[in-house]
């Protein structure tokens, strides 16, 4: 429905009202396509886009660049996120630099999952952030059913704090990952943290039969991760798992 060219982003600390945009026009394009058509495709032309706040994707949105080395979103430690339980989202053909992806439903303990169908193809998340905030994950996937990753790369050459993980995958997630890599030898935390933050001491875990693993990691209590189904093939991993 529309093409983003390369408008200058608003400098940090300056008002953008009636002037420029904190997200290089990307959030405005998402909002327009969603509010006008209920979803659709947004193409981002080659270039480097300076993003000064999170980009929030709505339901039925496809965000497509021109290639991992051609369309570069400089996120300035911000993230591409989903709005609540937004489903049917695609992110393709771009580099997300100095930031990450946060794909989590509003209630990651809900069974069955509240949202589904995320597709990420030919995307590289690349960071050399130094000393990022605690509990930082470059990529978080939590509570989503049917997540498909293809040629998806996470590359971290920074030295963030000791609690930082490159990738966190939580519970109530059904995920297929074909091709790509995780290069995170010095994140301080894990290259991949399989549990993410799917722990809850007050809500009992509930088995859901459509997942390959239902038993919680802590079978005697109410904490841990369950209802997961991960299939990963052809992914090179450098870093702790």
């Amino acid at each position: 429905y529309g093409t983003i060219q390369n408008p200058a982003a608003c400098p940090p600390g300056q008002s953008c009202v009636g002037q420029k945009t904190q997200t290089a026009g990307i959030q405005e394009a998402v909002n327009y396509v969603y509010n006008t058509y209920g979803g659709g495709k947004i193409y981002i032309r080659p270039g480097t886009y300076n993003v000064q706040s999170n980009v929030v994707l709505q339901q039925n949105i496809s965000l497509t660049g021109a290639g991992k080395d051609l369309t570069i979103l400089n996120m300035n430690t911000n993230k591409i996120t989903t709005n609540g339980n937004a489903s049917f989202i695609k992110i393709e053909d771009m580099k997300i630099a100095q930031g990450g992806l946060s794909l989590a439903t509003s209630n990651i303990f809900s069974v069955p999952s509240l949202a589904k169908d995320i597709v990420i193809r030919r995307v590289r998340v690349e960071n050399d952030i130094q000393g990022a905030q605690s509990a930082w994950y470059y990529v978080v996937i939590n509570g989503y059913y049917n997540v498909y990753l293809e040629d998806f790369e996470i590359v971290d050459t920074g030295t963030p704090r000791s609690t930082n993980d490159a990738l966190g995958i939580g519970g109530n997630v059904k995920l297929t990952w074909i091709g790509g890599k995780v290069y995170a030898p010095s994140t301080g935390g894990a290259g991949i943290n399989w549990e993410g933050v799917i722990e809850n001491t007050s809500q009992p875990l509930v088995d859901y039969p459509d997942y390959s693993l239902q038993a919680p990691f802590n079978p005697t209590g109410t904490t841990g991760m369950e209802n997961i189904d991960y299939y990963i093939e052809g992914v090179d991993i450098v870093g702790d798992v």
Side-chain angles (χ1 to χ4, degrees):
Y1 292 112
T3 298
I4 300 170
Q5 295 185 8
N6 198 3
C10 181
Q14 293 188 19
S15 173
C16 293
V17 177
Q19 300 177 36
K20 298 179 182 178
T21 163
Q22 290 280 4
T23 63
I26 298 171
Q27 188 66 63
E28 289 80 358
V30 169
N31 295 345
Y32 174 78
V33 168
Y34 179 74
N35 292 332
T36 304
Y37 303 104
K41 296 181 179 180
I42 299 163
Y43 297 96
I44 308 178
R45 291 181 176 178
T48 299
Y49 298 79
N50 196 26
V51 178
Q52 301 290 348
S53 64
N54 287 346
V55 173
V56 182
L57 300 183
Q58 306 281 359
Q59 185 106 339
N60 299 316
I61 289 293
S62 176
L63 197 65
T64 302
K68 286 186 286 189
D69 296 317
L70 297 174
T71 298
I72 301 168
L73 307 187
N74 182 13
M75 300 298 294
N76 295 290
T77 72
N78 296 295
K79 297 182 180 182
I80 297 177
T81 70
T82 51
N83 183 20
N85 302 315
S87 297
F88 308 108
I89 288 173
K90 289 184 180 180
I91 304 171
E92 300 175 309
D93 298 303
M94 66 183 67
K95 180 192 295 185
I96 300 168
Q98 305 300 85
L101 292 165
S102 181
L103 310 174
T105 60
S106 61
N107 182 358
I108 59 177
F109 301 102
S110 178
V111 178
S113 298
L114 296 174
K116 61 182 181 178
D117 292 347
I118 300 286
V119 175
I120 303 175
R121 291 191 183 103
R122 299 175 298 277
V123 169
R124 180 186 300 128
V125 178
E126 186 172 298
N127 291 287
D128 62 1
I129 297 171
Q130 311 297 318
Q133 65 266 38
S134 61
W136 170 269
Y137 294 84
Y138 295 130
V139 178
V140 174
I141 301 172
N142 234 339
Y144 267 93
Y145 184 83
N146 278 355
V147 178
Y148 181 78
L149 311 178
E150 181 182 310
D151 188 14
F152 177 63
E153 302 176 340
I154 302 173
V155 177
D156 172 46
T157 58
T159 54
R161 294 178 183 171
S162 60
T163 53
N164 296 170
D165 298 325
L167 170 63
I169 308 178
N172 289 343
V173 170
K174 193 165 189 176
L175 175 143
T176 299
W177 186 355
I178 306 297
K181 66 182 176 182
V182 175
Y183 180 82
S186 61
T187 58
I192 301 178
N193 184 336
W194 299 109
E195 286 200 62
V197 293
I198 187 73
E199 294 189 355
N200 188 351
T201 58
S202 61
Q203 180 174 334
L205 295 166
V206 178
D207 288 346
Y208 192 59
D210 199 30
Y211 295 85
S212 61
L213 174 63
Q214 286 95 41
F217 284 177
N218 177 8
T220 61
T222 58
T223 65
M225 175 179 68
E226 69 164 9
N227 293 333
I228 59 173
D229 195 326
Y230 305 155
Y231 179 82
I232 299 177
E233 178 182 308
V235 177
D236 296 327
I237 300 174
V238 177
D240 294 335
V241 175

